[in-house]
Amino acid sequence: MKVVLSHLTKTFPGRGRGSKKKEDVVAVNDFTFEIPDGRLVGLLGPSGCGKSTTLNLICGLQKPTEGQIFFDGEDVTQLSPQKRGVGMVFQNYALYPHLNVEQNIRFPLENLKGPEKLTKEQMRTRVEEATNLVQLGDLLDRKPAELSGGQQQRVAIARALVKLPRVLLLDEPLSNLDARLRLQTREEIRRIQKKTGVTTIFVTHDQDEAMSISDLIVVMKDGVVQQIGKPQGVYDNPSNLFVAKFLGTPPINLFDGRVQDGALLIGGEKVLTLKNVPDQAVYAGVRPEGFTLSENGPFTCRLSRPEVMGRDVSIVSTHPASQNPVVRSIVDAESCEHLSGDTVRFSLNPRKVFLFTKDTEARIPFESV
Ligand code: ADP
Ligand code: MG
């Protein structure tokens, strides 16, 4: 099912009265987006940027201050959560502790009324399908306390799927799991989503998580959508400094720079030649993989140490114009066999270099020469 958000806005009034009244919080600010049918969309941003509020608006737990929500063309903005056909999974699995796995998953079906009411047999089939989907078949008798975090989250996902929702909403579903289980469960969610084809919105503050399983990502900041696109597309083409900094591990290296007479200057060195950029002070972002070791390279850093990370080597260095404490570049292991001395020189791959204005932090397009 296609989900359309049209100028969706949610304002929470500030608390207090008179001069002590706090400012209103615009948790979601004019969010317009069309979520294509059957896709998995990752909604990504730091804590407090409005991700949960967006999900609550879509599932109907909260009403927008302005704007509308459409499911396959039908305006559902005023519909109650029960009538929207949405499955929701939260960070804390919220299972019923006294019910076993099977009873937990069946629970939403037992409350269906009128034409939606199911027979015992239909319920049994639905529960079986949902448990098979999340591969919990042999744990049906267990109580939640007898399950690992990952298993509990799978029960929660099965419980959301058992009503055959039109949309599946997942709010930071992996946050309570340890690192290994997080990786495994995110693959699992992707598999289940592909198999059922249910339109899914997956909320996370973890860029790695969103990048790895989403068809599309939406990056939010302070209630405002910053950029929407395929994960690789957004990584390769961030529209502003915030997005460039938010995506990527290790993070982008940021320098104080200046464009002058067709060159990008960092710390007095001409590190790139450019076309069509007016002279100005800029932030220059360089992805870690954008550095190449080069004896006569134009960009000189002070070498701290190489760090071996299996196949690649991360060279840690410092630079007076760097906005981060260290500069991290990733190069292949062979190329740094001859690394010695206090300095290290690089050339830069222009496709991995992004320039941003100092005032609005918007991207400055350039052509390299
Ligand atoms: P996220 O899920 O991205 O961490 P939220 O959607 O929970 O962010 O919150 C977005 C903003 O709205 C935050 O500033 C938060 O404090 C505020 N907010 C959320 N819910 C309420 C509420 N019920 N009343 C007042 N402010 C709220
Ligand atoms: Mg949240």
Side-chain angles (χ1 to χ4, degrees):
M1 190 186 61
K2 186 170 86 177
V3 176
V4 173
L5 312 180
S6 171
H7 300 289
L8 207 58
T9 299
K10 178 69 178 180
T11 306
F12 294 109
R15 292 257 168 84
R17 282 180 185 199
S19 61
K20 285 197 182 141
K21 188 166 165 10
K22 301 245 171 64
E23 267 183 49
D24 292 353
V25 176
V26 188
V28 178
N29 196 341
D30 198 17
F31 192 164
T32 294
F33 180 41
E34 186 175 313
I35 301 163
D37 180 34
R39 294 303 162 90
L40 193 159
V41 171
L43 186 54
L44 177 64
S47 177
C49 74
K51 304 181 297 294
S52 295
T53 307
T54 304
L55 281 202
N56 290 339
L57 293 172
I58 296 171
C59 82
L61 287 174
Q62 290 176 338
K63 289 271 153 68
T65 320
E66 273 170 67
Q68 289 161 293
I69 301 164
F70 300 89
F71 286 180
D72 267 350
E74 180 199 356
D75 185 344
V76 299
T77 318
Q78 300 306 325
L79 277 191
S80 70
Q82 294 75 20
K83 296 221 170 96
R84 293 193 190 190
V86 170
M88 185 111 177
V89 176
F90 299 94
Q91 175 176 341
N92 42 358
Y93 337 111
L95 302 176
Y96 301 108
H98 57 289
L99 300 183
N100 68 21
V101 167
E102 184 177 9
Q103 292 161 336
N104 261 289
I105 296 172
R106 192 173 55 225
F107 191 82
L109 300 181
E110 288 173 348
N111 292 323
L112 294 177
K113 305 227 162 57
E116 290 195 311
K117 197 168 160 57
L118 300 178
T119 66
K120 281 251 148 49
E121 184 55 27
Q122 287 168 321
M123 281 194 231
R124 210 185 52 76
T125 318
R126 285 270 201 99
V127 171
E128 199 174 297
E129 281 167 3
T131 47
N132 286 343
L133 202 56
V134 300
Q135 297 174 335
L136 277 171
D138 41 355
L139 300 173
L140 293 181
D141 302 333
R142 299 248 193 120
K143 295 275 172 65
E146 298 159 351
L147 300 173
S148 73
Q151 290 166 336
Q152 290 188 47
Q153 198 53 298
R154 269 148 61 195
V155 177
I157 293 168
R159 193 176 56 180
L161 290 171
V162 78
K163 282 170 80 177
L164 311 179
R166 302 197 284 171
V167 188
L168 181 62
L169 306 177
L170 305 157
D171 194 353
E172 312 229 17
L174 309 180
S175 308
N176 289 353
L177 307 183
D178 65 46
R180 184 179 293 264
L181 212 48
R182 240 185 356 243
L183 272 180
Q184 198 184 331
T185 313
R186 83 185 189 200
E187 300 304 324
E188 190 93 323
I189 288 176
R190 184 53 172 164
R191 182 184 59 78
I192 294 165
Q193 192 275 330
K194 279 214 162 132
K195 193 149 182 204
T196 56
V198 62
T199 307
T200 301
I201 304 173
F202 180 98
V203 159
T204 176
H205 62 270
D206 180 337
Q207 56 93 21
D208 210 31
E209 209 164 277
M211 299 274 285
S212 63
I213 64 168
S214 308
D215 294 307
L216 288 173
I217 57 169
V218 177
V219 185
M220 275 180 100
K221 177 196 172 197
D222 297 338
V224 180
V225 172
Q226 305 291 304
Q227 194 169 357
I228 298 175
K230 292 188 177 152
Q232 191 67 43
V234 177
Y235 180 82
D236 290 338
N237 251 317
S239 62
N240 61 36
L241 181 60
F242 175 83
V243 175
K245 286 205 293 198
F246 203 72
L247 299 187
T249 35
I252 196 162
N253 298 285
L254 206 61
F255 302 91
D256 244 329
R258 159 161 291 284
V259 173
Q260 207 173 315
D261 304 327
L264 171 63
L265 297 167
I266 298 180
E269 289 180 308
K270 254 190 208 185
V271 298
L272 279 185
T273 17
L274 315 166
K275 254 194 337 207
N276 303 332
V277 185
D279 290 357
Q280 61 193 296
V282 295
Y283 289 118
V286 185
R287 293 275 185 219
E289 67 276 22
F291 296 85
T292 310
L293 281 172
S294 154
E295 240 171 278
N296 302 313
F299 191 44
T300 315
C301 295
R302 177 161 289 277
L303 179 63
S304 305
R305 61 185 184 279
E307 276 179 7
V308 180
M309 315 186 297
R311 186 169 47 94
D312 297 322
V313 173
S314 163
I315 296 179
V316 182
S317 59
T318 56
H319 190 285
S322 174
Q323 303 278 293
N324 318 74
V326 295
V327 178
R328 270 182 193 280
S329 53
I330 295 177
V331 298
D332 59 50
E334 284 122 60
S335 72
C336 62
E337 275 167 8
H338 306 295
L339 213 57
S340 65
D342 312 339
T343 57
V344 56
R345 296 179 73 155
F346 299 104
S347 57
L348 302 181
N349 174 353
R351 287 192 315 171
K352 294 288 179 179
V353 177
F354 309 120
L355 304 182
F356 306 96
T357 65
K358 285 234 156 162
D359 49 356
T360 64
E361 302 185 348
R363 177 94 173 271
I364 307 168
F366 69 85
E367 285 172 57
S368 68
V369 195

